[in-house]
Amino acid sequence: MKALVTGATGFIGSHLVEHLVRQGDQVRCLVRSTSRIDWLRKLDVEIIVGDFFRLETLKEALQDIAAVYHAAGVTKARDKRDYWKGNVDATRRFLEATVRFGHSVKRFVHVSSQAAVGPSMNDSPVDETSPLNPVDVYGRSKKEAEKVCREFLDKLPITIIRPVAVYGPRDRDTFSFFKLVHYGLLPIVGSESKRVALIHVQDLVEGIVLAATNDRAIGETYFLGNDTCPTWKDLFSIATQIAGKNVKKWVIPNFSIYVVAAVAEPLSYITGEPAVFSFEKAKELAQQDWSCDVSKSKRELGFAARIPLLEGMRETLEWYRKERWLK
């Protein structure tokens, strides 16, 4: 199968490209001119430099493509406009181009996020029937991108995937967690009883490909995650096992993270880079329950996450150490 992957230089996208190459697919990657292609250099892939607002490169990228994996998106930005441009406007432009030029496309998989739905509000895990109540701008932009995808269901065979929080080698969003564990510290915001759904990136990309190759998935939406959802108490136990040293637990109240964000966000306007820790991130961390029900993906796709959390966390920490992200 000939596949096109957007966001191929990113965390999820680069692992997805590797998985597709391993299974023998021909892979084309649409990358921005400013993107680093470190993870793609040794792979037998075709690279097209362009973006979602250049029609000529989209036409070239979509030629003779059977499966489209839209993994590109903005996860950090300084204002709402950047989230909307990268997640909503870009998705609309890409879908319009796929309708116009992707005549050979048999499947279009859109990688969304659990953030589009938001946390559980009634002590029950969210599922595909839950109302969409995102708590931050990122989540609202992913919700709107899903809405755009549904506008094209009569024109394209689209499947929407909602990953829970993803971790694994190369990830910069969860790197701060592993960095703190490496140095023997684990801050816990609010309460040890808070839950957060997690999935290893290798399990995620396998689920994404399952969705692209199962006809039952056309027009459907799926959460991808583990069967169980750990509490922060569970994560502290795992941290003590993988760190190789004593880990100090530090429970801090919810309001403290907003104080940190109040300092970090103004600095982002000085540096010109999105804040590593922002009010938007604080809103996510303040929530009590990010659990979700993955029974639909198990039932309809035959999906099952296979990497135990302890094993995946240990492998990820060792990767950061080996690659000298941690010293």
Side-chain angles (χ1 to χ4, degrees):
M1 182 181 289
K2 196 165 189 176
L4 171 64
V5 179
T6 72
T9 60
F11 168 48
I12 294 172
S14 63
H15 283 280
L16 176 58
V17 170
E18 287 184 354
H19 181 87
L20 293 170
V21 170
R22 281 197 302 269
Q23 72 176 21
D25 287 356
Q26 293 178 272
V27 182
R28 180 179 294 157
C29 305
L30 178 65
V31 306
R32 293 176 299 174
S33 59
T34 56
S35 296
R36 297 179 60 179
I37 61 170
D38 301 31
W39 313 120
L40 305 179
R41 291 185 191 280
K42 296 182 180 180
L43 300 177
D44 183 16
V45 298
E46 179 185 358
I47 294 176
I48 291 183
V49 178
D51 61 53
F52 300 113
F53 302 95
R54 293 172 57 191
L55 198 60
E56 65 276 12
T57 53
L58 291 181
K59 180 179 180 180
E60 181 183 2
L62 287 160
Q63 190 173 21
D64 300 323
I65 290 295
V68 175
Y69 296 91
H70 182 37
V74 174
T75 59
K76 292 191 188 74
R78 288 188 297 164
D79 57 44
K80 177 181 176 179
R81 289 172 298 179
D82 292 335
Y83 281 115
W84 243 250
K85 181 178 179 181
N87 294 333
V88 185
D89 298 341
T91 297
R92 181 177 294 280
R93 290 291 188 92
F94 190 36
L95 286 165
E96 289 172 345
T98 304
V99 170
R100 184 172 176 183
F101 303 119
H103 305 300
S104 57
V105 170
K106 306 299 182 186
R107 302 302 298 276
F108 187 108
V109 179
H110 173 73
V111 181
S112 183
S113 169
Q114 184 182 5
V117 181
S120 171
M121 295 298 184
N122 57 6
D123 297 323
S124 297
V126 296
D127 63 17
E128 291 82 0
T129 67
S130 299
L132 276 58
N133 294 307
V135 297
D136 57 8
V137 175
Y138 169 69
R140 289 194 289 274
S141 71
K142 297 301 281 187
K143 172 186 173 180
E144 288 302 312
E146 287 192 12
K147 183 179 177 180
V148 170
C149 286
R150 294 188 184 95
E151 293 175 14
F152 286 79
L153 286 177
D154 62 335
K155 303 179 182 71
L156 291 169
I158 299 172
T159 300
I160 297 171
I161 295 297
R162 293 176 182 156
V164 299
V166 189
Y167 74 97
R170 304 177 192 164
D171 185 33
R172 295 189 179 277
D173 288 343
T174 59
F175 174 55
S176 57
F177 169 87
F178 290 96
K179 186 175 183 179
L180 289 167
V181 169
H182 174 72
Y183 289 115
L185 178 65
L186 184 60
I188 296 175
V189 178
S191 167
E192 289 182 298
S193 65
K194 286 184 175 182
R195 292 188 176 276
V196 55
L198 295 163
I199 187 171
H200 191 280
V201 66
Q202 290 296 336
D203 282 333
L204 173 61
V205 298
E206 289 178 13
I208 290 172
V209 174
L210 274 176
T213 53
N214 188 322
D215 288 342
R216 189 174 182 179
I218 295 174
E220 297 292 336
T221 299
Y222 298 95
F223 277 104
L224 292 183
N226 282 281
D227 285 331
T228 58
C229 184
T231 64
W232 276 92
K233 184 177 181 180
D234 298 327
L235 292 178
F236 175 72
S237 175
I238 289 173
T240 61
Q241 295 178 69
I242 68 175
K245 63 180 74 174
N246 291 328
V247 177
K248 183 179 179 181
K249 180 171 30 180
W250 179 26
V251 181
I252 58 177
N254 281 335
F255 76 84
S256 298
I257 58 177
Y258 290 102
V259 174
V260 175
V263 175
E265 282 214 352
L267 290 176
S268 73
Y269 288 93
I270 297 173
T271 63
E273 297 292 331
V276 174
F277 194 86
S278 64
F279 279 109
E280 299 303 308
K281 189 66 177 177
K283 290 176 186 176
E284 290 184 8
L285 288 175
Q287 305 305 312
Q288 178 65 28
D289 189 352
W290 281 99
S291 60
C292 78
D293 182 349
V294 296
S295 58
K296 181 181 177 181
S297 61
K298 292 178 65 178
R299 182 177 65 252
E300 296 187 5
L301 302 179
F303 172 76
R306 58 182 178 79
I307 300 175
L309 188 57
L310 175 60
E311 177 186 322
M313 289 281 192
R314 179 179 285 120
E315 173 219 14
T316 302
L317 180 60
E318 290 306 312
W319 186 90
Y320 287 130
R321 288 170 170 168
K322 179 181 178 182
E323 296 296 320
R324 301 185 66 78
W325 289 31
L326 295 170
K327 300 177 182 179

